[in-house]
């Protein structure tokens, strides 16, 4: 699978496990997942989660399995709705709806737009204030909120709180604008 704008190809392994009639598929890539803690530091985590978001959708296409809904959580998977609506829009998996659940709005996955553009291979038109850009940074969570069909939270109370300036972590305006989908 290609990931970055440099055209480098990345291995996407699919490991499957079945138990009690449920099939579990796992993404395998030693370059990203062979070491320690799944969360290290932001600069090391960003490429890993860029890869995981795109590889998950590529795996679904390879398996020829089209879900009705792709449900992702927090900034670590927030690129899934963007990839779904851009790179995968003309594939079977591109027909799936995307739901993004926010557990903690404080953590948004922000970094330099040029670096993120290179790491993700996403087109430049997505790095604007109405999509991925927030306060001059690329913001994964914001992009996920913009491109998800629905946004959920851990509670109705939290959904209301994050629409306020105090709890909204500078995304309250966007969340208010998406309140009919929140």
């Amino acid at each position: 699978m290609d990931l970055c704008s440099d055209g480098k190809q990345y291995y996407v392994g699919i490991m499957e496990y079945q138990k009690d009639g449920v099939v579990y598929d796992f993404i395998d890539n030693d370059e990203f997942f062979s070491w320690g803690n799944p969360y290290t530091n932001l600069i090391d985590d960003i490429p890993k989660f860029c890869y995981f978001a795109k590889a998950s959708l590529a795996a679904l296409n390879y398996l020829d399995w089209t879900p009705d809904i792709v449900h992702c959580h927090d900034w670590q998977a927030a690129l899934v709705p963007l990839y779904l609506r851009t790179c995968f829009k003309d594939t079977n998996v591109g027909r799936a709806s995307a739901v993004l659940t926010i557990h903690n709005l404080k953590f948004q996955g922000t970094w330099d737009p040029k670096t993120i553009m290179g790491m993700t291979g996403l087109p430049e038109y997505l790095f604007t204030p109405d999509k991925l850009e927030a306060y001059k940074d690329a913001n994964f969570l914001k992009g996920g909120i913009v491109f998800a069909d629905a946004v959920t939270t851990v509670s109705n109370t939290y959904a209301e709180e994050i629409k306020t300036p105090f709890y909204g972590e500078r995304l309250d305006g966007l969340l208010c604008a998406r309140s009919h989908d929140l």
Side-chain angles (χ1 to χ4, degrees):
M1 173 191 81
D2 68 322
L3 176 64
C4 304
S5 58
D6 65 5
K8 179 181 175 186
Q9 296 289 300
Y10 288 85
Y11 166 75
V12 178
I14 304 168
M15 298 167 55
E16 189 171 282
Y17 176 74
Q18 294 184 28
K19 181 164 173 91
D20 300 329
V22 178
V23 176
Y24 301 89
D25 289 308
F26 300 89
I27 302 297
D28 175 41
N29 181 303
D30 283 348
E31 184 176 347
F32 293 106
F33 306 124
S34 66
W35 40 273
N37 190 333
Y39 304 106
T40 52
N41 61 64
L42 190 61
I43 194 58
D44 291 331
D45 285 346
I46 284 177
K48 179 178 12 183
F49 292 117
C50 291
Y51 167 84
F52 184 72
K54 192 169 186 182
S56 298
L57 296 173
L60 290 173
N61 267 343
Y62 177 80
L63 295 169
D64 197 25
W65 186 71
T66 305
D68 295 320
I69 298 170
V70 175
H71 187 185
C72 46
H73 296 259
D74 292 324
W75 79 264
Q76 293 90 344
L79 286 182
V80 169
L82 277 87
Y83 282 132
L84 200 60
R85 300 297 170 240
T86 57
C87 303
F88 292 89
K89 70 178 180 194
D90 296 325
T91 69
N92 285 339
V93 76
R95 294 192 312 251
S97 295
V99 176
L100 173 65
T101 295
I102 300 170
H103 296 266
N104 188 338
L105 191 63
K106 183 174 179 112
F107 302 103
Q108 298 180 15
T110 60
W111 202 257
D112 171 67
K114 293 275 186 221
T115 303
I116 298 303
M117 197 178 309
M119 285 182 186
T120 61
L122 289 168
E124 189 172 353
Y125 76 85
L126 293 173
F127 294 83
T128 58
D130 63 327
K131 295 178 184 70
L132 258 170
E133 183 187 309
Y135 303 97
K136 307 258 187 229
D137 280 328
N139 184 316
F140 285 31
L141 190 59
K142 179 184 179 193
I145 293 168
V146 169
F147 283 87
D149 296 292
V151 179
T152 63
T153 65
V154 294
S155 70
N156 291 336
T157 302
Y158 191 56
E160 291 304 313
E161 288 174 348
I162 62 176
K163 292 189 291 184
T164 68
F166 187 77
Y167 292 106
E169 300 294 337
R170 304 193 320 176
L171 294 179
D172 50 289
L174 172 60
L175 291 162
C176 285
R178 295 287 321 265
S179 63
H180 61 284
D181 298 317
L182 176 62

